[in-house]
């Protein structure tokens, strides 16, 4: 039952991620432009170039604000990564998280006898 819920949450996160892929790409491009505008603004001494880089930076900042839904896509990516890791962990070691004391005892006893 837990795996089913995780798979359904993973599918929902994947759909959200795919729906916001364009926003994520737009945010990345506008962030790169904003970075270079800031670097250009800090390097130059000319007042005309400072005004130019400030205008470019404001345009890039506006584009970044327009791509704000990308945050939902990035959050969905984070959730999807966590879900995949959780599913891999349960697949690799399915008996590691049981609450049955007898199974835990059997596993610990096997570990003790291996070390002798």
């Amino acid at each position: 039952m837990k795996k089913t819920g995780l798979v359904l949450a993973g599918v929902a996160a994947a759909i959200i991620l795919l729906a916001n892929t364009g926003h994520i790409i737009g945010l990345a491009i506008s962030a790169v432009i904003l970075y270079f505008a800031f670097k250009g603004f800090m390097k130059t001494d000319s007042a005309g170039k400072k005004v130019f880089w400030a205008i470019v930076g404001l345009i890039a900042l506006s584009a970044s604000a327009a791509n704000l839904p990308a945050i939902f896509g990035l959050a969905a990516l984070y959730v999807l990564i966590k879900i995949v890791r959780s599913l891999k962990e349960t697949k690799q070691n399915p008996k590691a998280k049981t609450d049955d004391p007898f199974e835990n005892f059997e596993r610990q006893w096997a570990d003790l006898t291996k070390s002798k």
Side-chain angles (χ1 to χ4, degrees):
M1 189 67 166
K2 182 180 176 186
K3 277 188 174 181
T4 305
L6 284 174
V7 169
L8 288 175
V11 168
I15 290 171
I16 292 170
L17 177 64
L18 288 175
N20 289 313
T21 302
H23 290 290
I24 293 171
I25 293 169
L27 181 66
I29 291 170
S30 62
V32 168
I33 293 170
L34 185 62
Y35 171 76
F36 284 116
F38 178 75
K39 294 290 275 185
F41 182 84
M42 296 304 286
K43 275 185 178 180
T44 188
D45 292 329
S46 170
K49 286 185 180 179
K50 280 200 183 273
V51 170
F52 170 75
W53 286 119
I55 291 172
V56 170
L58 287 174
I59 292 171
L61 187 64
S62 298
S64 295
N67 289 312
L68 202 57
I71 294 173
F72 295 122
L74 294 175
L77 177 65
Y78 175 75
V79 168
L80 189 61
I81 289 170
K82 287 293 189 180
I83 289 172
V84 168
R85 284 184 184 168
S86 176
L87 286 174
K88 281 185 180 179
E89 183 178 294
T90 57
K91 187 177 180 182
Q92 289 174 354
N93 200 359
K95 289 190 175 183
K97 304 229 177 199
T98 60
D99 293 332
D100 187 14
F102 295 109
E103 288 183 18
N104 288 332
F105 175 76
E106 294 288 333
R107 191 170 46 252
Q108 289 176 352
W109 185 259
D111 289 341
L112 285 173
T113 57
K114 282 183 191 176
S115 63
K116 288 184 178 182

